[in-house]
Amino acid sequence: MIILGNSFILLGAAFLFLGALGLVRMPDVYNRIQAGTKAVTLGSLALLIGIAFHHPSWWAKLLLIALFILFTSPVSSSTIARAAYLAGIKPFSKKQENL
């Protein structure tokens, strides 16, 4: 069980790192939202599963945390995208890169 827990923690850490890298590397706010939401949500859930293997008595608390992440992450990302759209921020295009 410890090896499985460590594997999930390592997988979660890798996805969290890739999500953070995506936040730095993506060209505009819409792509950054995508990188942050998808990768970090998956990384957080994998990390919580790994912790659940290490501490089985914490499963109820970890389940509540996972549900909170699953409910708030899509709502927050769509709210940020809508605010950016209403503020007039244009999506990135190759034509803008040469200006």
Side-chain angles (χ1 to χ4, degrees), residues 18-38:
L18 291 174
L21 186 64
L23 287 175
V24 174
R25 302 274 308 179
M26 292 296 157
D28 66 347
V29 68
Y30 303 107
N31 289 323
R32 288 180 184 142
I33 290 170
Q34 179 74 12
T37 302
K38 304 295 183 196

